[in-house]
Amino acid sequence: MERHARAAELYEAFLNVDDRDARVLYKLALVRFYEGQVDSAIDALERALGLDERLSEAHHLLGVCFGRQGRISEAIRALERAVAQETREALDRAG
């Protein structure tokens, strides 16, 4: 757990300098999720997706967080968005 706390500290320090980095917000959310701070993870994920709605991994984790809270319909929607975005990315790579 100490590693997670240090990682969260570093991500928050980075966000104090640049709070518009969606990937850092996603990583902070991931740390918060591993720490059991689901509400805090959701807040960071919603901020990340507000900056870049194409982050499929953020949609995925948001779905997992909602599921953890029993918010099943929201979880399904977030996971569907994750799959749709991952599909778009795969099709783009395939050309």
Side-chain angles (χ1 to χ4, degrees):
M1 281 301 187
E2 188 173 311
R3 240 180 48 208
H4 292 144
R6 179 68 178 138
E9 183 179 297
L10 292 171
Y11 292 137
E12 288 172 350
F14 183 89
L15 290 168
N16 285 330
V17 174
D18 178 6
D19 66 349
R20 302 208 38 91
D21 191 314
R23 290 211 173 270
V24 172
L25 282 162
Y26 163 73
K27 290 176 182 180
L28 176 61
L30 191 58
V31 170
R32 294 297 187 218
F33 175 78
Y34 285 135
E35 291 178 325
Q37 298 178 27
V38 177
D39 289 334
S40 180
I42 290 171
D43 290 342
L45 290 165
E46 288 176 339
R47 286 177 53 203
L49 290 167
L51 295 169
D52 186 354
E53 66 182 19
R54 297 168 300 166
L55 284 177
S56 59
E57 59 267 42
H59 286 290
H60 178 262
L61 183 56
L62 186 60
V64 172
C65 288
F66 284 151
R68 198 51 78 85
Q69 291 184 329
R71 297 163 64 180
I72 303 306
S73 62
E74 291 168 285
I76 291 169
R77 279 193 301 275
L79 292 169
E80 286 174 340
R81 282 188 220 109
V83 170
Q85 183 58 38
E86 289 169 7
T87 301
R88 279 190 291 277
E89 290 170 9
L91 291 172
D92 287 347
R93 283 191 302 274

